[in-house]
Structure formats: C-alpha cells, structure tokens
C-alpha cells in the first residue's frame, strides 16, 4: 500500500481518546529497598527537627512557580502528589529532537514525550526521612528563579468520608516509587528507548542533586540569563488513567451494582459489572456528571461543576441483564400525575390507604383509578409493589394507547428505503456491485420483535445520479420496472403500488433488480449527482405510504448538479484558526434545515454513507441525518479490498440494530431543578420536547440541568426521562427511565460524588457545539477556565490549608486534567495541518451523540501490550498509558479508540512471535497494507484474533485494522493517538498541561 493511498487515513484517525475494560498497568519493579512502605505517622515516634527551609517533599516549580501536585486519595486526607521539580510548559525554544523529525514531510512540528509512566500509585517515603530524588534525565530550559520555599503542611481534609474508599495505598510519592511489583514485566524497566533521537544529556550525580526548595532563592534580577539544568516531572508520579481504571475494575466488578440506594455513583464505564435494577435506572441508560447535586444555585455557580445527565434511552444491555419489562394497562393507558404528567414510578408515594398517590416530582395528589387500586402494607408500600415493574424498577416500558399516536391513529409498520448513487465514481470503485450483492442476504435480517418470525418492515429501492430512478418490485411482476424522474426541482414518487413491498413476498423480483442494477450502469459516464431531491423522494414515498421509516443513502460526491440544495466547494484551509473558521462547520444553506424539519414531522430518519475522494461538505450534507436522529458513515478514498469489510459490517449493524421511529423524548425533574439544555442528534420545535424521527440503540442525548429553586437534602433530586416511539413492528411504546440523586449543602459532598468520564462527555459536546459560534481558541480557553475554577473551588473550600505550591485534586476528578487535555487537542479544537475540514465536521457530529463509554475510549485510547498474552485464559493484558515512552522495541501493541484499530510492531520483536502472528519470521516482510491478520492455527494467533473481534463487537462502528511497523510512514498516524505526548498540531503533553492547569488554579486562588 503506497503512501498516497493512505493519505486519507490521517484524517479520521487523529483524535485523542479514552481507555477501557480490564486495565492494570505493567509496572517496573518494586519500591526502592531503602524505603519502607508509608503507613501513616507512627504515634510512638518523635520526629527529629527539620532543617530550616527544607520541605520533606520536593516542590514542583511550574513555569516559575514552586509547586507540588497532590491528589485526595484517602478517605480523610489529601495526600501530596510529589513531582519533584517540574519542567515548564513548552516555550518558543526548539523542542528536543524526536524520531518523527525523520518524517518532516508528513507532519507539522515534532512529537515530544515524557519519560515512561508507571501504573501503580507509589508510596511516599516516611515524612521524617530526607529524600533526594533519584537521577532523572536532565532537561534544559530557561526559567526564572523559584519563589522562596514554603514549609509544606500535611493536608487533612476535615471529616471527609468517601463513600467507596480507594485502595489502601493511593498517594503519589516522590519520583514514582512503587507500591508493589506490577504484572507484565519481569524486572525493572530498562528506561525509554531512543528511537533515533539524540540521547538526553547525562544526569547529574545524585549526591549533588539538591532539593530546589532547600536553597534560598535569589531574586529573579540577580540570576544571569543562562540556561539552567531542570529536572523533569516523573510521569509516574502524576495520576495514571490506567491505575484508576484498574483499581475500579478490581474493587467494583465482583459485586453487582444494586441501584436501590439514592445518589450512589456507579462503577466507571471501563469496569465490567452487573446491574440489579432496584428502583433507579441502570448506568447503561443514564449517567450523571454528579450524584450529589448542590442544594442552591449559588453553590452550583461557586463550584462550576456542570449538572448534566447522558441518557441513552434504547441502550442494549449486557446479556446477563433482563431487558425492560413491558407493562400493558389496557385502554386506559399508563397511570400519570394529574398536574406534571409524570408517569407512575417508584418515586410516587401512595397515601390514604392506597386510594391516592402524591407525585414525587411536583407533590400534586392524584386519585388512583379503581382498576389500579391496591392496599398498603405496614410500611406504606403497596402490597403488589414488587409484582409491578413500574413501582419497583428504575426502567420499564408501557404499551401506549391510541391517544399517544399521531392523529389518534395506530401507526403502520415502518419502511426502509435504499437510495444508491450510480454515478461514475460509485460504479468505478466497485461500490454499486458490493451494495447490490450484500443487499440480497441483508434483507433477511431486518429488525423484528422477538416474538415475530418475520420482520414487518417494507422496503423500496431508488438509484440516482443527476436524475432519480424508482423501481416497481411488486410480487406479481416477472421483472422489476424502472421509472425515471428527471424533474428534480419538483420531486414526486411516480408509483404508489409496488414501490414499498414485503421482502418475502417480492423476493424473486428484488433479487432480479439487484442483479440488474450493476449491469445497467456499468458504462455510465455521468459524474454529477444531486442530493436534496434524493431525501425528498424518500420523504414523499413515506408520506404516500403514511408510515415512518429510514432512508439509507449511499453517496459519493459533492452535489453540484442543478437541483434544490446544490452546493459549491467552499473548502478553505486559510480560514482555520481565524474568526471565520466557525462558518466551515455551519451548513452552506438553510435548505437542509427546513428539509430536516419536514422529515422529523413524518418520522423519516436518514442514515448517510459517504464515499468521497475529495471535499463533499459533510457540515451541510450531515444536517438532515443529525436532525432526524440518523448517522453519518464516511469512507474516504473507498477501495473494496481495504474498506469493503468495514463498510459491510457497518451497513449490517445499521440495518439490524434496534431502532424506534417518530420518537419524542421529555425529561421531567422534581421541583428545584429543570432541564435547560440538550446536546445530541435531534430536532426541537419547543424548549422541552426532543423530537427524533429515528432513535437507535447507540444514540445518547446529553441534558444539562439548572436550579430554578432550592433543593432539599431530605428529598434529593429526581429525574424521569420518557420516550414515546413506534417499534419496528408498528407498536406505539413508552419507555420510562427514573433516577434519583442526593442533594448537599457541603461542597465536599459534591466533589466526592462526581463522574469524570461523564463530565468529559459533557465538556466535549458543549465545546463542539460552541465552535459553531465562537473561534476555537475562545472555546479552548473557556474549557480550561471552567475546569480551573472547578479545581480551585475544591482547593479553596474542601482541601485543608497547605502550601500554595501544591496541586491538590479531588479523588474522583484526579483524571480531569489528562482527559480534558485530550479534548483540547482533539482534531476539532486543535487540528493538525493534514486533517480535512470534512473529517473535522464528521468527527464533530459523531461525538455529539456518543455515550460515555464511547467518548471515553475516543479521547483516551486503549493501548494493550501483546508480548505476554495469556493464550489460554480470557483475561486481557493490562493496558499501558498512551505515550510513546511506553512502547518497547521488542513489543507488539494493540491500540483502539472506537473508530480505529492499530497493531504496532516493534523493530525487535522476536521471530517466533512474528511467525505466530504474521506467518513470517522477518520484520521486513510484514505487509503494512493488510487489514486482517492471517488465520493461523496456533494459540497466539487465535487469541489475538479473538481479542480484535471482541473489541469490534464492543463498538458501534467496525474498526479496520492497520498494521503499523516501527519507523514506518504510518507511525505518524499511530502516534497521533498517543495522547499523553505532545501532539504534532501543538497540543501539550499531559505533564505540561498539568503544570499549566496548576498555574491557572494558583492565579484563581491568589
């Protein structure tokens, strides 16, 4: 595969992301023998006098600030995170030489990485011992004088109780001492590999390395302006995503998560755990940024923690959990509150012997209908409480009556219409052949209810270039009939009977049509296409059939033919980074917004499969899919051999997945808060109803809440998400999710019950919407500022007094800086020179409807070392942090981010390993263009292929495998996903960003 063919790969791949299931991090040996593990102060021990001006933890200068970083890691204390002296964030000086410089023609700027990071959270040495940092690579940088040292105090967080205390050892000690030997590596870590880079200057002898804070600092003016040797922060001493993920998996995966307790924060999205629904919806359906809401709006403003929920109404549950029960109340329909119309749920309180109930949301009292009456037990609960899912479960589904249907009419089963581009590009690439061949088997797998033998969904077919061709595939015909509509300015459907048909009845005619389409257009010379009339055609067909449905559009080029919605090429890289950049993310014309509104009214959802070889204006073409609850799939420079698998797998999943049509979602809340803002792929005609022409099992909607009154600690805060939709069999259904969270008057309680992964999901969606109206730099600054305010409020109000030079992070937010940095340097907010505007628009839209698990791995990818693969068991190797320093030349690594899958092969991998995986003993003979591993009959090959398949099964989109050989051209694409390192587009490394955040926090505190 030559580089030119690969050019397109740089684009969609370039996004930082999250980590996943089953992580622990290979460590590098145990603690240095001269220090015993720290177990807190010994009550019988008298500490000797401390030398004047000496701090037991070396301070961390950040730019010119002495500082140490700390994370609140135990239930009652903020343990200092000791980084040793810090290197400042990058300045204008030349960056160190890195391997990537050899590829200056492929990248802008150089990648600079920190030292290898260790997963385990190291112990700190006993306070009484003086500790000289071990030798670290020296780092040259100009810097101002450190401020005079401040005696560091131990930080006691007064009376803080953490609901789920972290593991016993969780302080970050000096220079990454370790709590225990780690799995995965036999001995101590040999140090970072220098891939062709200049070796670092030799480290100074340890005995001359003094603690900078033990020396009185001269005034800045007294220092000569020369370069001084600077110590680097040890990345192992700062919070590790892998360690946090591993600890949560170890502590919270064994017991089922019972949802009966109000305000209980669930395990992380990366943890495998079973849920027992006991009255609150499963975290698979709803995750909140905080599970303890502030009681007042003033407190919420002070903390700046956004109060939001990410809701995935039709989420697919794990196999060991039961799907929601379907409750049928007959012709009367679901029981509801008279005033706020909330649905019957566990939050309703029955009174007066069961004859009436008080609404948990608005406190209104409503009569219980006679047929629903039941006596109460001695606790005030109905005696049939546990026999009725709506009274005992956080999630249930009601069958809706005719009153809940459009125009008070029971809906028809939905239809699927396939609209295939048959212009020159689509035919020449082999796409039309591929679609028609796949369609013959795919139509057997249309969605159906579990009780049905066959799907009720009807199908129709259209092909198009500059004109549209409709096909009559009525079962009574011997051959399909084509009807051409060339008047694209006033679109209509030329036939009613025979266009939408039942697959089984018309099977022979459909197969005949699918055989004929590739032949009919094999010699086409038509290069121009239309687009808006194609959507109008599908919409008109659904209107004529009086049903909802989905359009599957396969499209290849910018629609420049004369027709409504005609577009021009407006790609202009010169606007990137200017105030006009936002126009590139806005649609060219309002035509598609109006068309989307018509589609939503009919329940017409649009899924768009794009196969571009150049700019197609995704920002405009994606308007209708995004506002109708549809999806956009993009295959740049599509070639059947390399991209066919990915496209067919995406198409199969898209056609088969659970989907609801003509959906309306409303979020109700208890008095004191209300839903004020919504993010996702939908349309809103008012301020409360989220309208979705289609809602599938992968789509999430993020909802932000604000106070409109005070909340009380006793009653907490309640939310109910109700989704009314038409099932694939044409049944009208109501799915209801309920969740209760605690409320608090103390900021410490808020900071103890936050979910960083959900916060990042919210911040990313908020930022990606903001770039439609603001310059990207403004958006980045806003994110940094809000996060700094969140952390400074914690430092000021919750952490006990300590040296201003310490960075103290709340335990559940200690990964906020690393994940936020991934969002800030993502391709949307800080693009590299080689990413196209279309790719940025595509990724922006993709993130908008992601759930928390997807956004997590998208921003912080999962990187697995494969050298020590357990070929017998099911366990995955412990992941490593996403940094180049973690890669060993003798290793094999698998990286995934939900969209892309890389297998990185080190130059020194053992021959037996190469033979087991690639069927060749030579590194040079590995074919980098392969997209699937050879099927070999050995345990290692079987296990590795099983892992790749399991990764693909976990994600909504099929990930194409790319094999990346060390020092190969493709390595630059791979390095883009090593998100802890400095990025080619100028994004900071994790270490540098942490220092920058610390500086921001200190400025806010001073």
């Amino acid at each position: 595969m030559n580089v030119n063919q690969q050019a397109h790969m740089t684009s969609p791949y370039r996004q930082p992301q999250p980590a996943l299931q089953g992580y622990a991090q290979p460590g590098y040996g145990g603690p240095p023998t001269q220090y015993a593990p720290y177990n807190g102060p010994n009550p019988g021990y008298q500490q000797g006098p401390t030398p004047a001006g000496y701090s037991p933890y070396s301070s961390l200068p950040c730019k010119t600030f002495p500082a140490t970083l700390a994370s609140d890691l135990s239930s009652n204390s903020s343990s200092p995170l000791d980084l040793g002296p810090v290197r400042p964030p990058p300045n204008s000086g030349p960056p160190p030489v890195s391997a990537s410089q050899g590829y200056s023609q492929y990248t802008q700027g150089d990648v600079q990485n920190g030292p290898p990071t260790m997963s385990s959270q190291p112990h700190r040495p006993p306070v009484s011992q003086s500790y000289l940092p071990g030798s670290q690579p020296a780092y040259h940088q100009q810097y101002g004088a450190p401020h005079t040292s401040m005696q560091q105090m131990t930080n006691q967080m007064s009376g803080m109780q953490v609901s789920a205390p972290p593991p016993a050892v969780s302080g970050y000690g000096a220079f990454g001492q370790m709590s225990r030997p780690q799995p995965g590596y036999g001995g101590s870590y040999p140090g970072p590999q220098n891939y062709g880079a200049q070796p670092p200057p030799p480290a100074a002898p340890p005995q001359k390395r003094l603690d900078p804070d033990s020396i009185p600092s001269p005034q800045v003016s007294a220092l000569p302006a020369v370069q001084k040797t600077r110590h680097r922060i040890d990345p192992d001493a700062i919070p590790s995503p892998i360690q946090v993920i591993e600890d949560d998996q170890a502590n919270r995966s064994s017991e089922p998560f019972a949802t009966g307790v109000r305000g209980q924060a669930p395990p992380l999205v990366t943890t495998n755990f079973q849920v027992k629904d006991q009255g609150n919806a499963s975290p698979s359906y709803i995750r909140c940024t905080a599970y303890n809401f502030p009681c007042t709006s003033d407190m919420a403003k002070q903390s700046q923690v956004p109060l939001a929920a990410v809701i995935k109404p039709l989420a697919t549950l794990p196999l060991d959990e039961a799907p929601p029960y379907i409750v049928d109340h007959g012709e009367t329909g679901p029981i509801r509150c008279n005033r706020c119309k909330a649905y019957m749920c566990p939050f309703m309180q029955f009174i007066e012997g069961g004859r009436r109930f008080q609404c948990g949301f608005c406190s209104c009292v409503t009569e219980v209908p006679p047929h629903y009456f039941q006596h109460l037990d001695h606790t005030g609960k109905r005696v049939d409480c546990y026999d009725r899912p709506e009274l005992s479960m956080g999630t249930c589904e009601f069958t809706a009556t005719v009153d809940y249907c459009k125009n008070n009419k029971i809906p028809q089963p939905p239809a699927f219409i396939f609209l295939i581009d048959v212009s020159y590009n689509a035919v020449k690439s082999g796409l039309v052949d591929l679609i028609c061949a796949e369609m013959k088997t795919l139509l057997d797998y249309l969605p159906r209810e579990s009780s049905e033998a066959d799907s009720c969904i009807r199908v129709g077919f259209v092909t198009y270039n500059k004109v549209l061709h409709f096909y009559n595939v009525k079962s009574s015909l011997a051959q399909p009939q084509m009807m051409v509509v060339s008047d694209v300015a006033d679109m209509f459907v030329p036939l009613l009977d025979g266009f939408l048909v039942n697959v089984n009845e018309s099977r022979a005619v459909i197969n005949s049509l699918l055989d004929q389409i590739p032949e009919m257009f094999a010699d086409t010379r038509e290069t121009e296409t239309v687009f808006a009339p194609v959507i109008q055609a599908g919409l008109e067909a659904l209107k004529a059939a009086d049903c909802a449905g989905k359009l599957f559009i396969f499209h290849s080029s910018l629609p420049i033919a004369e027709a409504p919605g005609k577009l021009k090429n407006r790609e202009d890289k010169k606007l990137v980074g200017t105030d006009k950049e936002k126009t590139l993310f806005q649609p060219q014309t309002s035509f598609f917004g109006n068309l989307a509104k018509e589609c939503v009214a009919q329940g017409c959802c649009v899924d768009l499969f794009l196969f571009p070889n150049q700019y197609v204006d995704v920002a405009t073409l994606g308007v209708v899919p995004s506002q109708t609850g549809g999806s956009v799939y993009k295959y740049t420079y599509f070639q059947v051999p390399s991209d066919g698998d990915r496209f067919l797998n995406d198409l199969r999943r898209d056609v088969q997945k659970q989907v609801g049509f003509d959906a309306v979602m409303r979020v109700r809340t208890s008095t004191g808060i209300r839903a004020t803002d919504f993010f996702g792929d939908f349309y809103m005609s008012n301020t409360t109803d989220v309208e979705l022409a289609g809602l599938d099992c992968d789509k999430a909607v993020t909802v932000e809440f604000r106070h409109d009154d005070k909340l009380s600690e006793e009653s907490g805060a309640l939310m109910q998400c109700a989704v009314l939709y038409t099932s694939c069999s044409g049944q009208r259904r109501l799915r209801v999710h309920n969740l209760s969270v605690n409320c608090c008057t103390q900021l410490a309680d808020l900071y103890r019950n936050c979910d960083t992964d959900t916060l990042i999901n919210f911040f990313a969606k908020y930022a990606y919407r903001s770039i439609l109206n603001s310059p990207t730099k403004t958006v980045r600054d806003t994110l940094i500022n809000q996060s700094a305010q969140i952390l400074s409020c914690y430092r000021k109000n919750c952490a006990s007094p300590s040296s201003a030079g310490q960075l103290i992070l709340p335990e559940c937010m200690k990964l906020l800086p690393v994940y936020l940095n991934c969002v800030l340097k993502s391709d949307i907010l800080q693009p590299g020179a080689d990413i196209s505007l279309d790719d940025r628009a595509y990724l922006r839209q993709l993130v908008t409807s992601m759930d928390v698990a997807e956004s997590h791995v998208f921003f912080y990818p999962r990187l697995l070392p494969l050298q020590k693969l357990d070929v017998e068991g099911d366990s995955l190797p412990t992941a490593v942090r996403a940094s180049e320093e973690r890669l060993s030349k003798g290793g094999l690594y698998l990286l995934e981010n939900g969209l892309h899958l890389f297998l990185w092969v080190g130059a020194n991998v053992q021959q037996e390993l190469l033979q087991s995986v690639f069927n060749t003993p030579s590194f040079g003979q590995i074919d980098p263009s392969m997209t699937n591993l050879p099927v070999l009959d050995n345990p290692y090959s079987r296990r590795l292929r099983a892992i790749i398949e399991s990764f693909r099964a976990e994600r909504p989109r099929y990930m194409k495998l790319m094999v990346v050989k060390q020092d190969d051209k493709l390595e630059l694409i791979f390095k883009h996903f090593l998100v802890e390192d400095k990025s080619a587009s100028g994004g900071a490394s994790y270490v540098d960003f942490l220092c920058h955040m610390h500086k921001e926090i200190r400025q806010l505190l001073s």
Side-chain angles (χ1 to χ4, degrees), residues 116 227 245 317 339 404 515 542 605 620 641 753 786 884 996:
Q227 284 206 324
I245 288 165
L317 294 179
R339 185 198 289 157
Y404 292 86
D515 286 335
L542 294 177
C605 173
T620 305
N753 289 285
Q786 183 169 356
E884 190 179 352
H996 179 68

Side-chain angles (χ1 to χ4, degrees), residues 572 575-586 771-772 774-777 780 827-831 837 840:
D572 187 355
L575 297 182
V576 174
T578 70
D579 284 358
K580 288 189 174 170
E581 182 177 9
K582 60 190 177 208
T583 60
L584 301 172
F585 293 105
Q586 297 163 357
I771 60 168
L772 295 175
S774 308
T776 48
K777 184 178 186 316
R780 287 202 308 270
D827 285 324
I828 302 1
L829 298 181
Q830 195 162 12
L837 295 172
R840 292 178 70 197

Side-chain angles (χ1 to χ4, degrees), residues 107 114 169 177 332 580 601 916 929 972:
T107 183
V169 180
Q177 298 166 48
T332 55
K580 288 189 174 170
S916 299
S929 66
L972 284 173

Side-chain angles (χ1 to χ4, degrees), residues 55 158 200 218 315 392 458 570 588 591 645 676 681 700 737 805 809 838 932 962 970 992:
S55 156
S158 45
S392 56
R458 292 168 297 162
R570 55 166 183 168
Q588 269 188 49
F591 181 87
D645 266 359
T676 56
D681 288 341
H737 300 293
L809 302 167
D838 269 347
N932 281 303
M962 281 179 66
L970 286 177
D992 288 344

Side-chain angles (χ1 to χ4, degrees), residues 579-629:
D579 284 358
K580 288 189 174 170
E581 182 177 9
K582 60 190 177 208
T583 60
L584 301 172
F585 293 105
Q586 297 163 357
Q588 269 188 49
T589 155
S590 60
F591 181 87
F592 288 96
N594 297 328
L595 181 54
K597 190 174 170 180
E598 284 183 58
C599 288
V600 172
Q602 182 57 40
C604 168
C605 173
V606 178
D607 280 357
L608 176 58
F609 292 80
L610 286 171
F611 305 87
N613 290 334
Q614 55 199 18
Y615 179 73
V616 289
D617 199 351
V618 174
T620 305
L621 297 188
V623 168
V624 179
S626 78
Q627 293 192 15
T628 59

Side-chain angles (χ1 to χ4, degrees), residues 35 246 248 292 688 774:
Y35 305 119
E246 276 302 308
D248 197 74
N292 219 327
T688 55
S774 308

